[in-house]
Amino acid sequence: VPGALVRRFIEAIEHKNLSGALELLSPDCEYDNVPMGSVQGPDAVAATLAPFLAGFDTVEWVVHHQVESGDVHDGVVMNERLDRFGRDDQWLELPVAGLFVVRGGRITLWRDYFDRDMLLRQMAAMG
Amino acid sequence: VPGALVRRFIEAIEHKNLSGALELLSPDCEYDNVPMGSVQGPDAVAATLAPFLAGFDTVEWVVHHQVESGDVHDGVVMNERLDRFGRDDQWLELPVAGLFVVRGGRITLWRDYFDRDMLLRQMAAMG
């Protein structure tokens, strides 16, 4: 089921196992942070995520709800998450709703909806 | 299925049929616009939506994806939408990801994820 693929992807990110996460993306994968812009391809996803994840000791993406349709060959997954990033007893916490389109056993579209200011204000506060 | 209930709800809003939409909400329904705050109960939902909808001639909520689990007694629906509000050939367009929790045949939680600035900038531009 496509939801299990998304769970594996999130677990890899929580373990800061970026190469493990990238293996689950299609070569033409689009990663779209709706209020901030999108990039295409696993290398561009890595270039976006790596410096951000490197700034934190602990990464927890708490999935409150996840629903799906189809299968890993042609499926859609959406989840509601609280993405938490910890460093030195400080936490950046971002409420996110994510869309994942799955084709041929890989994630081909990953689109996260969130409020840009909620992210930027917390990043500024953590320095 | 709970997705059909959410589709009816969205159709009522597109027709600016607020009373028809409110009938599909539970008495303790929470309506949470994540970056702007939440209200509780159909009356508060009406007080939030009515003045906003009144400002536009045309309301179209284009659902790009919708996925669900469970049934109308205990279900979860998420959708990816472009909420469009038109007046005098101008359109306010807001990308939204919505979560709907359904209990006992009614929507008991409606939570929309979007970027607050994307909404406020367009509202200011339309005057």
Side-chain angles (χ1 to χ4, degrees), chain A residues 32-102:
Chain A
D32 185 10
N33 280 311
V34 172
M36 306 182 77
S38 89
V39 297
Q40 204 151 6
D43 289 349
V45 174
T48 304
L49 284 181
F52 188 75
L53 295 178
F56 299 96
D57 301 320
T58 312
V59 177
E60 293 176 5
W61 287 11
V62 184
V63 176
H64 293 305
H65 294 93
Q66 182 165 297
V67 284
E68 61 188 298
S69 67
D71 54 38
V72 293
H73 302 292
D74 184 4
V76 173
V77 180
M78 292 190 72
N79 55 31
E80 182 194 31
R81 315 189 308 260
L82 184 66
D83 292 359
R84 309 181 73 229
F85 304 89
R87 186 214 309 149
D88 303 333
D89 294 327
Q90 286 188 297
W91 286 94
L92 187 164
E93 296 188 321
L94 187 66
V96 175
L99 167 78
F100 301 82
V101 175
V102 175

Side-chain angles (χ1 to χ4, degrees), chain B residues 7-19:
Chain B
R7 273 188 286 273
R8 280 171 55 208
F9 180 72
I10 288 175
E11 279 172 20
I13 289 181
E14 289 183 316
H15 290 99
K16 300 175 75 168
N17 173 12
L18 202 50
S19 63

Side-chain angles (χ1 to χ4, degrees), chain A residues 80 99 111 113 115-116, chain B residues 80 99 111 113 115-116:
Chain A
E80 182 194 31
L99 167 78
R111 180 175 290 145
Y113 288 79
D115 182 72
R116 182 173 171 272
Chain B
E80 183 194 31
L99 167 79
R111 180 175 291 147
Y113 288 79
D115 181 71
R116 182 174 172 273

